Amino acid sequence: MERGKMAEAESLETAAEHERILREIESTDTACIGPTLRSVYDGEEHGRFMEKLETRIRNHDREIEKMCNFHYQGFVDSITELLKVRGEAQKLKNQVTDTNRKLQHEGKELVIAMEELKQCRLQQRNISATVDKLMLCLPVLEMYSKLRDQMKTKRHYPALKTLEHLEHTYLPQVSHYRFCKVMVDNIPKLREEIKDVSMSDLKDFLESIRKHSDKIGETAMKQAQQQRNLDNIILQQPRIGSKRKPKKDAYTIFDTEIGSTSPKSEQDSGILDVEDEEDDEEVPGAQDLVDFSPVYRCLHIYSVLGARETFENYYRKQRRKQARLVLQPPSNMHETLDGYRKYFNQIVGFFVVEDHILHTTQGLVNRAYIDELWEMALSKTIAALRTHSSYCSDPNLVLDLKNLIVLFADTLQVYGFPVNQLFDMLLEIRDQYSETLLKKWSGIFRNILDSDNYSPIPVTSEEIYKKVVGQFPFQDTELEKQPFPKKFPFSEFVPKVYNQIKEFIYACLKFSEDLHLSSTEVDDMIRKSTNLLLTRTLSSSLQNVIKRKNIGLTELVQIIINTTHLEKSCKYLEEFITNITNVLPETVHTTKLYGTTTFKDARHAAEEEIYTNLNQKIDQFLQLADYDWMTGDLGNKASDYLVDLIAFLRSTFAVFTHLPGKVAQTACMSACKHLATSLMQLLLEAEVRQLTLGALQQFNLDVRECEQFARSGPVPGFQEDTLQLAFIDLRQVTTFP
């Protein structure tokens, strides 16, 4: 029962659902009916639904049939009217077609004209648009053409400005055109091209500067020399100071006005050719030799391109490399002054250029960079000068080198470079100069002493007498009173040596010029060098002459006389130095001349050589002694060798008249003692074992000859019988009982 009720309920629900779906199908658009039908097929009662659907269709067919039957007559009437209208419409169509054909035929030319007008209007519009676009493009093309022309003429800085305008002002207005895009793509390449070309110009400039640094330096040093000469003239003639030319400023060597932010010139010229000027003409400034526009132009270009730091680093790096090359001296620089001059010219030229760059650019180089380069240059230059100057053996070359170094230092000092170390180094070279002078004067003294005849200077006229007195400070009233011909007591080497000492002093004074030394320092330097000349060079030369093997007693005596007079002249040398340095000898710390000691030592050496020489001569005579100790003959005269010996001694001591008394007496006493000792040794020889009376008699005669020589007073100044005491031992041996 319950199952029947449930089935009935479900049937009712299904019927209601089918009714709903049918209403929905009737009222829904056919495009959206799919979901509705889907719901039917999803269910299980689609058979029953189809039955209901068929029933509904039949119902609608019956309704349609009823409606058609009701309106059929009206439909037939409408069809009849439509057939009538169709005939009229056909007629109208024919008329319209005929009219259209006529119209087409009549308007064909108009259509053609209108088509042509249309094309003309289109062309006109295109032309107008093209003109407008070209008006926008022409400035771009003109600027680009201008850019190319500027680059072709190497006007790179204006080209860079043009490129900036082209990129930021003109190209944005026509950026959609293909050629503009090509231009935009080329702009970085053009910038790089400008950078490369300007850098190439800079490299050419740097290479030219490197090659012509010596010419620039030579010009700067000539200007410094001219200024120094002018200053010296003004110091000597202060009253004409108002007539002199104004001193050039240190930086007018590059006096062309150059803006700090714009290029100097649009033409690259690097180093200009300038002919050598004569000394009496105006020396060309270095600005006449150098065109700095490549540097300024490249600097501005890199600044505009935002690569200034890159440019500064490159420039400084390259100049450092060039500085090292400039500071490398040639291996044979020491051989000639031109080698030093070229070396200095290159250094001066390098720093003149850098100093000019420092003062005409904003930060390309700075003072710290310049000071660093100068410190390096100073140390390398001083080291090179120390090395190469040590090879110089010619004092004239050393003196010229000193003058060149002073000019080098003065030139760079004008540009603000500290040069104290160079002047300190010159003091070292001064010692070397003194050594070369000593070597030179050693040869001069040697030649003077070798060529001297060691004879008193004969004077035959007043003119010759005054000439000798003018060369050497000698005063002797007795000699002045003597009639001509007469003789000076000294030989020719005395005035010659004296004058050479003065020449040496002058040579020392020349080196001290322009070294910014005080008078006291100059005086001290001259005195120390002169002392070395006297105590080492002259003393050595005199000693060599005195120790010469073939020197005779006459020469030794003359040397003693000469050194005595030279010793007396030392006070005049003191006065001579005082006059040229204006420093009194009494000044504290003033060095004294040691000439007196030098000449005393030489004289003492000559005296010792005289004593030795005399003894050697005596020994030579004694070698001729031929005593027959077993003879039976009684002799009546002295031996021949002894007679000759006594005659030699007399003639020798006669030459000693101009010697100091003590020297002559010492020489005479020494000779007599040596003679007595030698004779005693003859008696005491081992071979003499016995003597005959005749032999003893002969020896006694010889001793008497010696005693007689001693009594004759060969040298004045001995007390009575003093000289005979030298033979007292011989007398005792030979006295007969």
Side-chain angles (χ1 to χ4, degrees), residues 29-140:
D29 189 6
T30 56
C32 299
I33 201 171
T36 304
L37 295 176
R38 180 82 179 178
S39 63
V40 173
Y41 285 96
D42 286 342
E44 297 178 355
E45 300 294 334
H46 59 276
R48 295 177 63 185
F49 174 75
M50 292 301 294
E51 293 175 358
K52 279 188 173 286
L53 180 60
E54 287 293 335
T55 303
R56 182 64 60 92
I57 292 172
R58 285 193 298 269
N59 291 333
H60 282 296
D61 287 340
R62 282 193 296 268
E63 289 178 2
I64 292 172
E65 184 179 354
K66 288 178 181 181
M67 187 176 290
C68 287
N69 291 330
F70 179 76
H71 294 288
Y72 178 74
Q73 186 62 42
F75 174 72
V76 171
D77 294 339
S78 296
I79 292 299
T80 301
E81 290 178 2
L82 283 174
L83 290 174
K84 292 178 181 180
V85 170
R86 184 176 64 176
E88 294 297 328
Q90 185 64 37
K91 292 178 182 179
L92 180 62
K93 177 182 177 184
N94 292 335
Q95 292 176 359
V96 170
T97 302
D98 185 56
T99 302
N100 179 62
R101 184 172 60 255
K102 292 179 180 179
L103 181 63
Q104 291 294 330
H105 178 72
E106 296 296 333
K108 187 174 183 180
E109 294 181 1
L110 179 62
V111 170
I112 294 172
M114 290 300 294
E115 190 66 29
E116 291 177 354
L117 178 61
K118 177 183 176 183
Q119 292 297 327
C120 288
R121 291 286 178 86
L122 180 61
Q123 290 177 359
Q124 184 180 11
R125 187 167 60 252
N126 291 341
I127 290 172
S128 178
T130 302
V131 169
D132 293 339
K133 299 301 181 182
L134 285 176
M135 292 302 292
L136 291 175
C137 294
L138 277 176
V140 176

Side-chain angles (χ1 to χ4, degrees), residues 568-582:
K568 293 178 181 178
S569 70
C570 286
K571 63 178 181 179
Y572 297 103
L573 290 176
E574 289 269 8
E575 293 176 0
F576 176 72
I577 295 175
T578 299
N579 290 335
I580 63 176
T581 62
N582 295 321

Side-chain angles (χ1 to χ4, degrees), residues 185 308 612 640:
D185 294 338
R308 180 186 177 101
T612 303
D640 292 339

